[in-house]
Amino acid sequence: ENRVGNLIIHCEKESNLSIHGILMNFGKKDNRCREIKFSGGRQVEISDRIYVAGHTGMVGSSIVRHLQKNGYYNLLLRTHRELDLTDQQETRSFFERERPDYVFIAAAKVGGIQANSTFPADFLYVNLMINANIIHAAHEVGVKKLLALGSSCIYPKFADQPLREEAFLDGKPEPTNEGYAIGKISALELVKFFHRQYGDPFISCMPTNIYGENDNFDLQGSHVIPAMIRKFHTAKMEGADSVTLWGTGSPKREFLYVDDLADACVFLMDHYDEEGHINVGSGEEVSMKELAEEIASVVDFHGELIYDTEKPDGALRRLVDSTRIHELGWQHKVTLREGVERSYRYFLNSCVD
């Protein structure tokens, strides 16, 4: 056993590799070390059966990439066509047959303001059923650990900033996504109560605004970063002199690249065991004006940015308090500039004819 601070590296036999050499070689077939973990945490072993629900989505696909990059090969992946998670019997049969050791719930029905406002029953029903069926089935078969994901948009609309975990359920959510919010709230509460009543090793996290590879770049349903990327790219290709954006540009938001969220999810599997959720964010704010200028620079659009102040700004500030996960030892790695560059490359490679 080699130890550096609270990092423990277990080897099958005595190793003369340096700590750096062990870390660089970990996961290779000829490596002498079988697992890496942090002291005090539950290690996810390379051979464990890991089910990532929603592996085709932005967050789920990033978790899969992260796991595969780190040598995890026994992944259980099913598309919606192969497994309907809103069907309780299908979900339970899958769990009984496959017996996963670890579960990441990244499956969700998501959409923009218009979709959420038009179909609130669908957003509530689908998200409620997905999470209820998975959590109950995981309890029935006795998985080693489960992680459910919430979203910072389900915090109360008028909660104090930055958003601390204690603000959860201390008021009503934003009315425009109330159906989605109640579905996700129910998921986090189910995790908490299964943890409390049965001692199940179920945990949950609350990510801030996520963006990155596999994002939705459709202007009708996308979030702010992919929407701006498409807007500026289209303006550049059409030779436009300007791009008009909603509001004053003064509101501030926090963003986290999706690969950092995937890293945090895997980190929490080893380091977090409390019944209540934990926030995951960068801890860094940027104004909408600064964000627009950064994206315009990455896209290489040199026209004028016009702000339509007749349009609403939304909340002036939206930031999660990530003190607790930072104290556990996790920090984000991807800067906003790097994340936007990666997102634009993905957009060019996957979304442009």
Side-chain angles (χ1 to χ4, degrees), residues 339-352:
V340 171
E341 289 173 345
R342 290 191 196 180
S343 296
Y344 187 45
R345 283 197 298 271
Y346 172 79
F347 171 77
L348 292 175
N349 292 332
S350 304
C351 305
V352 177

Side-chain angles (χ1 to χ4, degrees), residues 51-57 76-88 90-91 94 107-109 125-127 129-130 133-134:
Y51 173 46
V52 182
H55 76 281
T56 61
L76 304 173
L77 308 175
R78 299 291 187 277
T79 64
H80 175 68
R81 180 174 294 181
E82 294 169 321
L83 173 61
D84 181 0
L85 292 169
T86 65
D87 186 305
Q88 186 180 52
E90 269 196 55
T91 305
F94 167 77
K109 181 176 177 62
Y125 175 78
V126 172
N127 286 299
M129 295 304 294
I130 286 173
N133 289 339
I134 293 176

